[in-house]
Amino acid sequence: MRLRNKPWSKKLIEENPDYILLDPTDMAGRWQERFEKQHPIQLELGSGKGQFIIGMAQMYPEINFIAMEVQEGAIAFILRSQVELQLPNLQLVLANGRKLDEYFAENELDKMFLNFSDPWPKTRHEKRRLTYKDFLKQYKKVVKNDGYLQFKTDNQGLFEYSLASLNNFGMKYQRISLDLHNNEELMETNIQTEYEQKFTKKGQRIYYLNAQF
Ligand SMILES: C[S@@+](CC[C@H](N)C(=O)[O-])C[C@H]1O[C@@H](n2cnc3c(N)ncnc32)[C@H](O)[C@@H]1O
């Protein structure tokens, strides 16, 4: 998904430094300072327009959430919602998740979410998949021991690849569903992402996994 930068996004970002960070390099070990209350911190990498992370922040006020997104044209939508909602437990970061260990201290996060990450189906693009081992190494550093990685996708190829990649990396599966929307128990707490709604409407299955580092 490539979104054009909106004419209003730069100004909105400049006007709201309390909600969005453009350079998180000096934040490692200090993320709690960005939130009103000290709570466990959970990160979504590749938040798109933010439907999931906003829903999570509303549903779980006792958790602090960070939305990290590399596209200005996408994160501007999350910021627009946040300016209206003023959720005390939501912070935004315009940055690339490749450098997570520069942005977070070891064990600073409780959990990470990857939702409908770009599948990069060509073998030569394997390193760009957010479940490639180099990314997993970064996640493991910043997520606490026994913390979780939750992943949802409509893409069977990416899901199968990710199962193998996480397994080879030594992660332990806590839950796997090959049809999330027909799993009553998981659906009780499932917050749908924008892509999830789009693909579900088309009749596509949603794959889900939750694994421990
Ligand atoms: C296919 S969209 C899915 C958006 C949203 N998670 C959803 O499910 O509706 C993937 C998003 O991940 C973002 N993304 C991809 N690679 C990223 C990276 N390395 N760091 C941060 N964001 C990334 C893209 O810019 C895009 O907005």
Side-chain angles (χ1 to χ4, degrees):
M1 169 186 71
R2 287 284 147 235
L3 285 171
R4 282 210 193 122
N5 289 354
K6 304 289 167 282
W8 44 268
S9 61
K10 280 229 159 16
K11 187 162 178 277
L12 189 71
I13 289 170
E14 275 166 24
E15 286 172 352
N16 288 286
D18 288 350
Y19 289 135
I20 185 164
L21 276 172
L22 306 182
D23 179 11
T25 41
D26 63 345
M27 284 308 297
R30 299 177 40 221
W31 279 96
Q32 292 289 2
E33 295 170 19
R34 297 282 300 175
F35 296 97
E36 219 170 85
K37 292 190 181 151
Q38 293 230 342
H39 290 306
I41 302 176
Q42 303 190 354
L43 167 75
E44 184 189 19
L45 182 55
S47 302
K49 294 183 189 169
Q51 181 171 311
F52 173 81
I53 204 79
I54 288 169
M56 291 292 281
Q58 288 173 322
M59 195 175 199
Y60 300 104
E62 73 293 354
I63 296 173
N64 288 334
F65 291 95
I66 301 173
M68 185 176 286
E69 178 45 66
V70 74
Q71 288 192 70
E72 182 185 302
I75 206 154
F77 281 96
I78 317 182
L79 182 57
R80 200 164 63 171
S81 304
Q82 173 62 337
V83 167
E84 197 179 308
L85 296 167
Q86 303 192 12
L87 299 167
N89 60 335
L90 176 63
Q91 283 287 316
L92 318 184
V93 189
L94 177 58
N96 193 317
R98 276 186 194 286
K99 295 186 182 170
L100 280 194
D101 60 346
E102 289 181 18
Y103 306 153
F104 296 95
E106 280 183 26
N107 306 321
E108 195 163 16
L109 301 176
D110 243 48
K111 182 167 180 173
M112 278 188 59
F113 300 94
L114 300 175
N115 290 316
F116 299 82
S117 309
D118 302 309
W120 296 109
K122 291 186 179 141
T123 309
R124 70 171 192 277
H125 291 149
E126 180 190 3
K127 291 182 179 175
R128 298 185 191 181
R129 298 176 196 154
L130 294 186
T131 48
Y132 179 63
K133 64 176 188 310
D134 287 359
F135 278 104
L136 298 179
K137 271 182 210 157
Q138 295 254 329
Y139 308 160
K140 187 178 162 73
K141 273 192 211 168
V142 299
V143 176
K144 69 176 191 190
N145 293 340
D146 296 335
Y148 291 92
L149 176 67
Q150 184 180 304
F151 175 57
K152 293 193 279 189
T153 182
D154 64 301
N155 189 297
Q156 188 182 348
L158 180 65
F159 192 70
E160 287 170 357
Y161 169 84
S162 303
L163 284 175
S165 183
L166 269 61
N167 186 49
N168 292 339
F169 194 70
M171 294 181 70
K172 292 171 276 180
Y173 291 112
Q174 202 231 1
R175 290 297 289 266
I176 294 174
S177 171
L178 302 181
D179 191 358
L180 172 63
H181 285 227
N182 278 314
N183 183 315
E184 257 179 54
E185 189 201 334
L186 287 173
M187 283 306 282
E188 270 173 30
T189 52
N190 184 51
I191 300 278
Q192 294 204 52
T193 82
E194 187 190 355
Y195 271 59
E196 184 170 355
Q197 277 183 332
K198 194 170 86 180
F199 291 124
T200 305
K201 266 188 204 144
K202 286 185 186 167
Q204 282 178 238
R205 264 205 270 176
I206 305 301
Y207 301 89
Y208 166 99
L209 70 81
N210 193 22
Q212 257 179 316
F213 287 97

